[in-house]
Amino acid sequence: MKETTTVPGPLKMAVTLATALAGGGLFMLLGLPVPWLLGPMIATLIGANLKKQYYTWPGPLRNSGMIIVGYTIGLSLTAPALKEMAGQLPSMLLLTGLLLLFCAGIAVIVSKISGMNYKTVLLGSIPGGLTQMIVLAEESEDVNLTVVTVIQVVRLMMIIICVPLLIFSPLFGPGTGSGEAMPLVTAVSPSFRELYPNFFIYAFACTFCAVAGQKVKFPTAYLLGPALAASVLQLSGLTGPVLPDLLLNAAQLMIGVFVGLLLDPRRLNNKLVTLLLAVLSSVMLISGAYLMSLLFAYFDEISVSTALLSLAPGGMDQMSLIAHEVGADLPTVAGYQLFRTFFIFFAVPPLFKLIFRKKKREASATG
């Protein structure tokens, strides 16, 4: 009988952190975009699938990264930015609806090609709301939870990898859409000395709102709680300090490692087929988001980078980090991503339950 060795927790953390730092450092040396998000994500994905027992990443670390990103988003939500976002609500509703309809169409195609259950593919294809879709999949009949999880994770990884590469490709020249420059670093990084004393007030408020939001089941609480807290404090007149690059890079690493450890192909029965279909679905989704972003940029006179990051069906935290790195309009990106998060959280699950219930009644009536 094969003996299983238990790897101590501190050793797992050390191996995971070392792998993440190596990945981030390598991506930085190669000059690749968003190195401290993509590098740790890809490095830990490879490492964990070679030696799973040596890798772990506690949820609180990922949550800490999300609080930092939420704080950065909150600083960008000034009074003028919020006023502009309010005026774009009809556009947000239209583009979010079109994106979800496009996802439903992709699910039909992938379901026909693969012979998989349509409900499984549909729940795997809905952008954003990974947790919500998994919970909904658990509550639905005839749904393969493992396939839903894998399609969702592959989609998230594909978007985190492909969107920065697209933005830095020849398709996005500097000033695309509105003459907006896209520097990798938008300003000189402040020192830690400049964080005092307001940073402690913001840190307490952001952490408190994140934990409280999680207690009351607020969607993406560790991101939206701090964003709302930072925005309210800033609007009240308390200036929030800009974070040094070291803290922002640490937040990217914390989130990147967590995403990298999500995908475990060994849980799949038909690994190659499922992964290929997940990649195909993701490519179609990214292509659709890109085409919609061109229309969005044209009609709203914003840069294509801002439009794509606003519509990209990835996580709000990752898209906001990328927006910060490339100099896109962070309030617009955060506003559209925030709207889709709430729409998917509140509107999509009840709608799907209604549709699935109706289909079940129709099937039982014909049977």
Side-chain angles (χ1 to χ4, degrees), residues 118-141:
Y118 175 70
K119 290 199 294 188
T120 297
V121 181
L122 180 61
L123 291 174
S125 302
I126 294 298
L130 172 63
T131 305
Q132 297 95 301
M133 291 305 105
I134 290 174
V135 170
L136 185 56
E138 288 175 337
E139 297 173 353
S140 305
E141 296 178 8

Side-chain angles (χ1 to χ4, degrees), residues 90-297:
S91 175
M92 290 178 182
L93 180 60
L94 173 64
L95 290 169
T96 299
L98 287 174
L99 189 63
L100 292 176
L101 285 174
F102 187 70
C103 292
I106 291 173
V108 171
I109 296 169
V110 173
S111 177
K112 296 283 187 187
I113 294 173
S114 64
M116 285 184 189
N117 183 299
Y118 175 70
K119 290 199 294 188
T120 297
V121 181
L122 180 61
L123 291 174
S125 302
I126 294 298
L130 172 63
T131 305
Q132 297 95 301
M133 291 305 105
I134 290 174
V135 170
L136 185 56
E138 288 175 337
E139 297 173 353
S140 305
E141 296 178 8
D142 305 323
V143 170
N144 188 321
L145 182 59
T146 301
V147 173
V148 170
T149 306
V150 168
I151 294 176
Q152 285 281 355
V153 172
V154 168
R155 172 189 56 76
L156 185 61
M157 288 184 169
M158 287 280 292
I159 287 161
I160 296 173
I161 294 169
C162 294
V163 167
L165 295 178
L166 262 176
I167 290 174
F168 284 94
S169 74
L171 290 172
F172 289 70
T176 301
S178 66
E180 174 188 340
M182 298 194 313
L184 184 60
V185 179
T186 55
V188 176
S189 177
S191 66
F192 281 90
R193 192 175 300 171
E194 295 175 49
L195 297 178
Y196 305 100
N198 291 357
F199 176 74
F200 293 103
I201 300 172
Y202 272 89
F204 174 79
C206 290
T207 305
F208 175 81
C209 287
V211 175
Q214 184 70 13
K215 294 287 185 185
V216 298
K217 308 295 182 185
F218 199 63
T220 325
Y222 283 97
L223 186 73
L224 299 186
L228 293 175
S231 180
V232 169
L233 284 174
Q234 182 178 237
L235 292 171
S236 68
L238 185 68
T239 304
V242 178
L243 297 180
D245 286 342
L246 180 62
L247 275 179
L248 290 171
N249 291 341
Q252 292 182 52
L253 183 145
M254 292 175 196
I255 294 169
V257 172
F258 181 83
V259 176
L261 295 180
L262 282 177
L263 185 60
D264 186 0
R266 289 168 296 187
R267 293 184 299 162
L268 292 171
N269 294 325
N270 300 315
K271 299 180 182 62
L272 184 59
V273 173
T274 305
L275 288 174
L276 284 175
L277 288 170
V279 170
L280 172 65
S281 172
S282 301
V283 169
M284 293 169 68
L285 191 53
I286 293 168
S287 302
Y290 172 66
L291 292 174
M292 280 194 281
S293 70
L294 294 178
L295 293 173
F296 178 28

